[in-house]
Amino acid sequence: MQATRHFWATALVGLLFSLLAVGGAQPAVLIGVAGVGTWLIATAWNAARTFQTLGSELTVEYTLETATTYVDSTTTATVTVTRPAATANTPVSVTVTLPPGLQLATSTPQPLTLAAGETTATRSLPIHTTVAGQFELPEPTIELSDVLGLYTETIPTTTGPRLTVLPPEPAVHIGKGGQSYGSAFGEHSTDRPGPGIAVRELRQYTAEEDAINIDWKSTARLGEPYVRETEGETDRHTALLVDHRAATGQSAGTETPLEYIREAALAMTAGAVDAGDPLSLWTVGADGITETIAPGSTPTTYNRVRSALLALEPTGTAGRRPPSARTQSLTETLPTDSQIGETLRPYAATTARDGVLDDVFLKAVQRARQELGTGAWLVLVTTDADPAQLRESVTVATAGGAAVLVLIVPTVLFGTNRLDAISDTYEAYTEFEELRRQLDNHPRVTALEVAPRERLQTVLSSNRSTHTPTGTQ
Amino acid sequence: MSIDENRAETESTVHDQKLITLTRGPVGIAGLIVTAGIIGFLNGSLGIAVGGVVLAIGLVTPAPLAFGVGVAGLLVSTDSSLVPLTIGGIALASVFVDQAMTSPTDSNLLAAIGLIGVILAGVTGALLTVWPIPIVAVTITLGVAGSVYLIHRYERVTLGLVSDIQ
């Protein structure tokens, strides 16, 4: 409880009377001393009770629009103060402070004030991020005042939310063989008649159908009743299945494949938002599915998907080669011209397939396809760290005639940047491109590469003079 | 800023032509009139003039200032008989009661004023029977300061604002 200047002014009056009593010895002066003393004690007691009640019943909700964002972007914090009507006779102010690296984007008025009589107040604070890192937002400061303005108190409140600020968005290339690919989104023609705007065909009216379907302008022009059929338009459920296992965090540089996986998935989310498509999310970590977000086309669902994508971190231990790759190497090392090699090869191949079938990403694809059916457009966002697993996953994803989009981050582009190794990188990239083309050759599969634009251009251009790029379409 | 000052400020803003605004409610006005009357009764024509000044200032100033001016007015009297001074003091206390009544608060403040006022008046009277006025004044002053400090510490402890080390 801190005294205000009004308290000190009142106390000074009491002290003057006290001095007068000491000097003048008049009993009337004691009335002043006792009167002012009564006032100060009574108001202090009343203020203490008020602050105790508010301390236990005042609630402050401090939330962030998204827990993760990028440098030089803006996110919104919302502060809501609520108190019961019975305690609403004093003013309350809430001040939010930000740590270095974060600043209020506009001249937002501070503090948030709850005047006497008001029970709730909310304020949105646009926060601009200037540096990357993890920020623990300080708890808001709540300043209480008593009803007479003689005392104030600052009380603790809920801890502030945590905000993760990622480095600037990477320049992402999405395409085929180094060539950019158009948006996977837009209007989705169903190739079926139905409600829509685009004209599909003009046909003669049949007596069985409703007369409301007759297109009177065409009828007047052609002299017979005609019906104008339009292209059916539909919402397409986009199901994102995003890989964030250990391989997505492996990189010799500062950028990791996961950053590009995230960007690709965010781009798909933005496309779904633009088209108003239902969107769902499945994220796959080292131990299996880490998060699922049910299909929805509401802003809440889109925001949840964005937040989940922004919060993704690589999981599991990096460095181990996938089981399928290990057993595949074993198959390759078996001698081809000996009896023992011929005897062991089938077992090794079976082990390789078993290794793939145990893969958590493949299991996630199986589960997603099982739960979503063939109606959903499955989008796999992963790396080429385990080609056998990727092939098998795409096979499972296309089962039942379903269409699949595969966004693959070539891990080779996250290896060493040494100039003397660039030709090796190019060779490895052509292998990746071969894999992508194999997948893309499937009639219901669109396989695209997701890569750091500059790094990819460097790899392609450095070899253009000495190599003919065989892997491009 | 006290509520009275707030109210005065708001009313001044709304009615720009008003140079002086009443800050007292009915209880405070009644108490000030009684006090002014007692000052006049004790001091004749000079007392009437002083009482008028006390009333005029008391009507437009914050409660602590109005109370202080009222007590100063009572001090003009050379008659130190306790009965009129006690009546004047009780009447003057109405400026605090009035502020508590006109503030958007519950009845607890009024009850606290009444209870603490009675206790403090009783203690003062009792001390006067054994000690001279200066010592009583110092004792009351220290007692009030100690009480306010204790309330302050109690409040901080109950709100969990005091660490174990303190």
Side-chain angles (χ1 to χ4, degrees):
Chain A
M1 195 157 71
Q2 288 85 40
T4 65
R5 61 191 179 91
H6 299 286
F7 169 88
W8 291 117
T10 308
L12 188 65
V13 171
L15 193 65
L16 283 174
F17 283 128
S18 184
L19 291 173
L20 271 175
V22 172
Q26 281 214 45
V29 183
L30 287 177
I31 295 171
V33 178
V36 172
T38 300
W39 177 245
L40 292 179
I41 295 173
T43 52
W45 176 249
N46 192 58
R49 279 186 61 257
T50 304
F51 296 158
Q52 280 170 29
T53 312
L54 277 173
S56 60
E57 298 194 13
L58 187 86
T59 56
V60 177
E61 201 179 336
Y62 189 15
T63 55
L64 281 170
E65 180 189 28
T66 174
T68 311
T69 187
Y70 287 105
V71 168
D72 280 334
S73 64
T74 301
T75 187
T76 305
T78 306
V79 182
T80 304
V81 191
T82 313
R83 62 178 171 180
T87 61
N89 57 355
T90 57
V92 173
S93 66
V94 180
T95 308
V96 173
T97 52
L98 297 176
L102 302 178
Q103 53 191 226
L104 287 175
T106 56
S107 54
T108 311
Q110 284 246 59
L112 165 62
T113 305
L114 209 57
E118 292 177 347
T119 55
T120 186
T122 301
R123 178 159 297 159
S124 295
L125 305 163
I127 295 175
H128 185 71
T129 58
T130 53
V131 294
Q134 282 216 329
F135 297 92
E136 198 81 59
L137 269 61
E139 58 188 33
T141 308
I142 300 181
E143 190 172 282
L144 309 175
S145 177
D146 76 315
V147 70
L148 299 164
L150 293 170
Y151 311 93
T152 60
E153 186 56 278
T154 305
I155 59 169
T157 179
T158 175
T159 52
R162 177 176 287 190
L163 177 66
T164 304
V165 182
L166 301 172
E169 293 177 40
V172 184
H173 157 84
I174 298 180
K176 295 181 173 183
Q179 303 296 314
S180 287
Y181 190 76
S183 172
F185 297 100
E187 294 163 4
H188 321 306
S189 171
T190 58
D191 201 28
R192 286 193 297 269
I197 297 169
V199 178
R200 180 183 172 88
E201 67 170 342
L202 205 62
R203 61 167 177 79
Q204 277 197 314
Y205 170 74
T206 56
E208 292 80 30
E209 63 186 307
D210 202 334
I212 203 168
N213 293 338
I214 296 172
D215 181 54
W216 295 107
K217 281 186 181 172
S218 306
T219 301
R221 196 169 60 246
L222 299 168
E224 283 182 283
Y226 268 79
V227 171
R228 187 188 292 265
E229 282 206 338
T230 52
E231 288 283 0
E233 286 169 7
T234 184
D235 288 338
R236 177 174 57 184
H237 171 196
T238 305
L240 291 174
L241 209 144
V242 181
D243 185 4
H244 66 110
R245 291 171 296 168
T248 63
Q250 286 182 294
S251 172
T254 52
E255 294 179 329
T256 62
L258 183 61
E259 289 170 38
Y260 290 85
I261 285 175
R262 190 194 333 270
E263 282 307 307
L266 285 170
M268 298 300 292
T269 304
V273 172
D274 289 346
D277 285 344
L279 183 69
S280 61
L281 176 70
W282 306 61
T283 57
V284 185
D287 298 322
I289 293 171
T290 51
E291 184 164 3
T292 56
I293 295 174
S297 52
T298 61
T300 310
T301 305
Y302 295 140
N303 281 336
R304 281 187 63 206
V305 170
R306 276 195 209 100
S307 294
L309 290 171
L310 288 168
L312 283 182
E313 293 285 340
T315 59
T317 312
R320 284 186 72 233
R321 295 177 67 201
S324 58
R326 293 199 300 273
T327 44
Q328 197 170 6
S329 300
L330 173 66
T331 313
E332 286 162 2
T333 53
L334 289 172
T336 52
D337 52 352
S338 71
Q339 195 177 353
I340 189 164
E342 291 302 315
T343 308
L344 290 176
R345 186 163 288 106
Y347 296 103
T350 307
T351 311
R353 184 169 169 73
D354 288 347
V356 169
L357 292 177
D358 278 343
D359 183 76
V360 289
F361 191 78
L362 178 63
K363 283 181 177 172
V365 174
Q366 280 172 331
R367 191 175 147 194
R369 187 47 87 199
Q370 219 168 22
E371 289 189 17
L372 301 171
T374 54
W377 186 42
L378 201 55
V379 180
L380 311 182
V381 196
T382 183
T383 66
D384 65 340
D386 188 350
Q389 165 259 304
L390 185 56
R391 284 194 191 92
E392 196 63 28
S393 298
V394 173
T395 307
V396 169
T398 52
V404 178
L405 173 64
V406 192
L407 299 171
I408 318 161
V409 178
T411 50
V412 64
L413 297 179
F414 295 87
T416 178
N417 283 327
R418 287 192 352 252
L419 281 174
D420 57 344
I422 205 148
S423 59
D424 294 340
T425 305
Y426 183 81
E427 292 304 323
Y429 174 74
T430 55
E431 281 176 29
F432 159 78
E433 179 57 16
E434 185 61 30
L435 168 70
R436 190 202 61 74
R437 280 200 297 130
Q438 282 173 11
L439 296 173
D440 198 50
N441 281 339
H442 191 289
R444 292 192 305 279
V445 176
T446 304
L448 302 176
E449 66 194 352
V450 179
R453 187 177 294 139
E454 284 185 18
R455 175 75 175 142
L456 179 61
Q457 283 169 355
T458 306
V459 170
L460 293 176
S461 61
S462 66
N463 285 275
R464 206 161 277 151
S465 56
T466 52
H467 293 81
T468 302
T470 55
T472 56
Q473 276 194 346
Chain B
M1 183 179 287
S2 74
I3 298 297
D4 277 355
E5 284 170 323
N6 269 331
R7 192 174 60 188
E9 201 172 275
T10 310
E11 286 175 6
S12 302
T13 312
V14 175
H15 309 289
D16 286 337
Q17 284 80 11
K18 270 182 149 181
L19 293 176
I20 297 170
T21 309
L22 285 181
T23 54
R24 295 278 85 77
V27 176
I29 293 170
L32 283 170
I33 290 171
V34 169
T35 307
I38 287 173
I39 295 169
F41 171 74
L42 292 175
N43 302 287
S45 55
L46 173 68
I48 292 170
V50 172
V53 172
V54 166
L55 180 63
I57 293 174
L59 288 175
V60 294
T61 54
L65 187 57
F67 182 81
V69 171
V71 174
L74 287 172
L75 287 174
V76 172
S77 172
T78 50
D79 184 355
S80 59
S81 56
L82 276 176
V83 175
L85 289 179
T86 307
I87 294 170
I90 292 169
L92 262 184
S94 66
V95 295
F96 290 130
V97 174
D98 176 57
Q99 182 170 357
M101 283 177 72
T102 51
S103 301
T105 185
D106 52 17
S107 55
N108 288 315
L109 180 58
L110 283 175
I113 289 172
L115 183 66
I116 295 165
V118 167
I119 292 171
L120 217 51
V123 170
T124 307
L127 290 178
L128 274 175
T129 59
V130 289
W131 286 340
I133 291 172
I135 295 175
V136 173
V138 171
T139 308
I140 296 294
T141 304
L142 292 177
V144 168
S147 300
V148 172
Y149 181 73
L150 281 178
I151 293 169
H152 158 73
R153 295 302 298 175
Y154 166 76
E155 179 258 0
R156 290 189 67 80
V157 169
T158 52
L159 281 176
L161 300 173
V162 179
S163 67
D164 292 340
I165 297 168
Q166 281 180 291

